[in-house]
């Protein structure tokens, strides 16, 4: 594994190492990792040590597979619970703020975040408008509108229609204003995903963290299964608001008559 080649287990003693012994963690035909032991002594290990290590590695591989299966089961149970809670909220209210509070809470059970936001994307004007922000500030708040091009990541998601993971926002050259905003709120890493309704991108989910390199592909997969609920919540709330406005206009017209 190149990681261990470039990153000795003990940096302070790496120059003192004289011998190592390693064995693969294999389950069926899959290599899951390795068990690795280092020593500052010359020829510290013998064939019998390797035999013992290989036996131990077999047990560890089984334990690792079992742990992964158990975690997958826990994830599926958690995801199902999140789906249920969100669907109940969609049936119970048309209030966008209330809906996204519930969605944000359920997302928090699946992936960690210190910032949660949903923006509405207008393809015609190429703008994004934040419709819900879990931790608002003077820059990022509900109702704030920006050109999609102000954020290269948001623009990329809207154009490609695929989620992206940003391990560290400060790794790349960002527009000065955006970089200043992110530094001000302490954002370092993020996960952005498109919200699609009938093959049209209508918004972007933005999860952010104050730490670097938090998100991975498994997080993307788990989030993607919930994205249709976001689209339904947005459309449902917009239609309800349109109906309310039409009813208010009708009442006003009747009063005028």
């Amino acid at each position: 594994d190149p990681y261990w080649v470039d990153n000795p287990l003990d940096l302070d003693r790496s120059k003192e190492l004289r011998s190592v012994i390693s064995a693969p963690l294999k389950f069926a035909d899959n290599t899951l990792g390795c068990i690795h032991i280092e020593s500052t002594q010359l020829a510290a290990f013998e064939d019998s040590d390797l035999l013992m290590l290989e036996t131990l590695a077999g047990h560890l591989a089984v334990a690792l597979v079992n742990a992964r299966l158990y975690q997958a089961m826990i994830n599926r149970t958690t995801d199902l619970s999140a789906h249920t809670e969100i669907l109940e909220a969609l049936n119970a209210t048309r209030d966008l703020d209330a809906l996204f509070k519930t969605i944000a809470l359920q997302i928090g059970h699946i992936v960690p975040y210190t910032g949660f936001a949903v923006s509405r994307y207008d393809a015609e004007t190429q703008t994004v408008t934040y419709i819900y922000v879990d931790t608002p500030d003077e820059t990022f708040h509900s109702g704030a509108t920006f050109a999609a091009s102000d954020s290269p990541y948001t623009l990329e998601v809207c154009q490609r229609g695929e989620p992206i993971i940003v391990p560290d926002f400060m790794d790349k050259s960002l527009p000065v204003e955006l970089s200043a905003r992110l530094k001000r709120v302490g954002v370092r890493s993020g996960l952005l995903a498109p919200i699609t309704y009938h093959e049209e991108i209508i918004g972007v989910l933005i999860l952010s963290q104050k730490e670097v390199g938090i998100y991975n592909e498994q997080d993307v997969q788990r989030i993607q299964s919930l994205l249709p609920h976001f689209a339904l919540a947005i459309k449902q709330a917009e239609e309800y608001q349109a109906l309310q406005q039409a009813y208010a206009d009708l009442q006003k017209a009747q009063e005028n008559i």
Side-chain angles (χ1 to χ4, degrees), residues 150-165:
D150 285 350
S151 170
Y153 302 109
T154 301
L155 185 61
E156 181 181 347
V157 169
C158 293
Q159 289 180 338
R160 293 176 53 195
E162 296 177 359
I164 61 172
I165 295 172

Side-chain angles (χ1 to χ4, degrees), residues 14-25:
S14 61
K15 293 181 180 179
E16 301 175 23
L17 295 180
R18 291 295 178 270
S19 54
V20 300
I21 184 171
S22 296
L25 302 179

Side-chain angles (χ1 to χ4, degrees), residues 49 94 161 206 243:
D49 296 321
R94 300 294 180 269
I206 306 165
L243 283 173

Side-chain angles (χ1 to χ4, degrees), residues 166-181:
V166 185
D168 187 355
F169 282 110
M170 302 308 162
D171 265 357
K172 296 183 179 180
S173 55
L174 295 173
V176 175
E177 188 176 347
L178 176 61
S179 180
R181 289 181 200 154

